Amino acid sequence: MLHEILLSLSGHPSPLLRKPASPEADALAGITPPERQLLSSAGHISDLHTKLIAYSSEIAASHSSTICRAVATAISSVHLAAFQRKVLEVEESILKDDPELVGAYNIVPLTAVMGEFQQWTRRLEWLWDTVRFMMAPNQDGTACKGATLVDRLRDELQSGYQDVAATAESLVKVAETAWLKQVSAWVLYGRLPSFGADDFFVQKMPVPPEDYAILADCLPSFVTGATASSMLFIGKSLNHVRAMNTNSTSTGIAQVPAKLKELSALKVPLESADFAKAIKTIRIFLSQNTLQKMLPLAKVSEMMQLLRDFFLLGRGEFAMALTHEADEKIRNRWRRAGNLAYEKDQGLKNITVKDGEVAAVLNRTWSVLVSMQGQHAEEDDQLDLARSLIQLHLTKSRPPAALVTGKGLDVDAANLLAASPFRNMLFSVPAMLSLDLPSPLDMVISASDLQLYSCINAYLLSLRRANIRLTDLWKITSLRRHFPSPRGTSDHAVTIRERWSDRAWLLRSSWTTASAAIFFLGETEAYFQTEIVEGLWDGFHNWLLPQKRPLHRSTSGHATPLHMHTKAPLTPIDNTPPPSSSSSSSHDPQTLSTAHTLYLRTLTHRLLLTQPSFTQPLYTLLSHIDHLVTHLHRLHSLFTSIDLDHDAGVVDAFVDLQREQSQVFTSLRGVERRVKDGIENVVDALRALETDPKFLADWDGQGLVDEEDGEERAYVPGRIGGVDRLLMKLDFGSWIGSKRGLGADGRGGGP
């Protein structure tokens, strides 16, 4: 019987320790109840050992995760082998008549034998739970992830049982060593694991252009977000170096021993701080010895300056020329389609814009800018670079890249930006500026960053376009007054004076509404451009090139009315002191990329682009302003035709000019009311944001700055602007206060 028990504990099935199929087949019929209890414990241990042998071998042979395979192999080769040795030791002690197990008359108490295995019961049960955890699929039906197993094993280190903690620690070392080998292949050579790539935290995107992304559920919890970003950047950089086939390739291979030394010095279980320090050292080492030769800081600065000037409207003449050329294209299509008035429509009918026409608009814009250069030859290089890289196209022909969510840009904000309606303003169909970013600049400026630039550009350009179109109305002199004014007392002169007096009276409310809209747009755009865009750019540019502190450049002088021409400060708005010369070393590309993304996402928040309560009424207001401008242009055309009819006898028998003029005036009154209501709705939205605690927390930068970033000179956006500053400007000199109780007398000054 004793021999049978030891064989069963070794993993061989025995009827002595099994539950009988029937009472007649009970092998324990002559055994006392206390002995049955001891044999039941032996059967439990034997059953655990048998299942562990079978299932650990299955996991080690067929599991999709390399880490799970390594842990299963360790369970079999280390812990089950140790249990097997324990069985042999007990058997050897019995055969040698060890007095601890063998009593008088060579009697071996069953209690003493099972006491030798009592300490293994909890350990085998814990190992069986671990094996079942590896076999169980996730909620989505996929196999157990290696990172999930590592997190579970690390949690078990705090179980409180010494034997379980020791077992968990040995398995943690095996699991983290297997994971560290995968990490080594990525950070040393830029290669994904040849086996178990689906279980690795870096995945290659299936759609072009080829890129890599981080899967959070495949990342162990001890790896911080900043460390994961650094590992992703290191591997992507190595792939860039290999793809460019430069001399840096051999240099990078020669540097492998130095980087491998950092990883081999780590001790398992891995400490988060030590691992992050090793990855940071590898990243800086790679940057200083390879990447800075391939991607100098001057090249990065040049591209960011280009994005600032053309996408964020730093060069106002670009926005002005692009708006003018786009309007000319649409106006020509209106004439051919015979659809000059919106009337009750919210968009154009029968107007189709093609990609070729959109591209032609940008080409004519470049031609206008070149003709405006004159003697300013120093800007030719940037303009030539912009002409070769910037494109204007319809979004249906080239869908925009997906926005990468994370700190400062959650899923809701990304979806809101992806569905931004401001792309419709330029051509009445979705169109956007894009940039063909040359390699290796895409290591610093990602496709998601360029998509954010396009969203911000469409937003700012819509405000600039509405302002330009409204101010251009004052250039239509014949719509405002008759010049030269007819003199004399003849019937013809009197008729003309009465006609223009009536028109001036009828158009008075239209000019008042247009003036109010110009005031609103001018103050809003001046706030966005001079305080937000220029202020954040100054702070970021000073961080990027700390030894060069550029003077503030006005961004509104080329395309805004006179009341927007404020005196520009000669020092950056951000009052952060300049860094010392000892800290002015060049940033590595990963630090540049992180800082640029933070700058861009902060800019998106400060421009209120992630606040649908503001952007939706603003878009509605801009649409109504478009309608107002279109109706006034149509009215001017009707006035000209009526004057030809009355004064020169030029009659169009197919058009009832008086009836059409009456219809346009009726529509114009409705548009005026919608513009005024639209301005009030936007201001109300600003007041609501001013008291919204969640918005104020985002404005202060909570959730934007990565607290895990340990860089000595990490970029921190300046605390500039404020919705209250914009509201203060809008409340002054507008009629809005009359309905909101701003003044003591309930009256507001008209523009």
Side-chain angles (χ1 to χ4, degrees), residues 671-708:
V671 172
E672 291 170 7
R673 289 192 300 272
R674 288 192 289 271
V675 170
K676 293 179 180 179
D677 292 341
I679 295 176
E680 293 175 0
N681 292 336
V682 174
V683 175
D684 287 344
L686 289 173
R687 291 198 178 99
L689 290 176
E690 188 184 20
T691 58
D692 186 354
K694 182 178 183 301
F695 167 75
L696 295 178
D698 290 340
W699 186 276
D700 289 338
Q702 299 178 14
L704 286 173
V705 180
D706 194 347
E707 300 296 340
E708 300 168 348

Side-chain angles (χ1 to χ4, degrees), residues 40-225:
S40 175
S41 299
H44 178 58
I45 295 175
S46 174
D47 182 57
L48 289 174
H49 189 201
T50 303
K51 291 189 292 186
L52 283 171
I53 292 174
Y55 288 106
S56 63
S57 300
E58 179 183 347
I59 293 174
S62 61
H63 204 282
S64 60
S65 171
T66 304
I67 298 174
C68 291
R69 287 193 176 199
V71 171
T73 302
I75 290 175
S76 176
S77 62
V78 177
H79 300 283
L80 297 185
F83 180 76
Q84 185 69 39
R85 287 194 300 271
K86 180 63 178 179
V87 174
L88 294 176
E89 290 174 3
V90 172
E91 184 179 12
E92 183 180 2
S93 298
I94 294 174
L95 294 176
K96 289 182 178 181
D97 294 333
D98 189 339
E100 293 184 359
L101 293 177
V102 182
Y105 307 105
N106 292 329
I107 296 175
V108 181
L110 187 58
T111 304
V113 174
M114 293 309 302
E116 293 292 323
F117 297 100
Q118 184 177 3
Q119 60 178 341
W120 278 93
T121 303
R122 182 169 55 240
R123 192 182 306 181
L124 291 176
E125 289 175 347
W126 183 85
L127 288 173
W128 174 237
D129 289 340
T130 303
V131 168
R132 286 194 301 171
F133 181 80
M134 289 188 288
M135 292 189 301
N138 294 324
Q139 295 181 354
D140 55 359
T142 58
C144 175
K145 300 290 185 182
T148 309
L149 178 60
V150 171
D151 292 340
R152 173 186 167 85
L153 294 176
R154 290 176 69 93
D155 291 340
E156 292 297 327
L157 295 176
Q158 312 297 329
S159 64
Y161 297 101
Q162 186 175 359
D163 53 348
V164 171
T167 306
E169 183 177 1
S170 66
L171 295 183
V172 165
K173 292 180 179 180
V174 172
E176 291 185 355
T177 301
W179 181 77
L180 200 56
K181 289 180 179 179
Q182 294 179 324
V183 171
S184 300
W186 176 250
V187 300
L188 298 181
Y189 304 99
R191 296 192 178 98
L192 295 175
S194 56
F195 177 79
D198 293 340
D199 191 48
F200 194 51
F201 74 95
V202 175
Q203 297 287 321
K204 182 184 292 187
M205 296 291 99
V207 295
E210 182 178 293
D211 199 1
Y212 298 88
I214 294 177
L215 296 184
D217 57 347
C218 294
L219 196 65
S221 59
F222 68 87
V223 182
T224 64

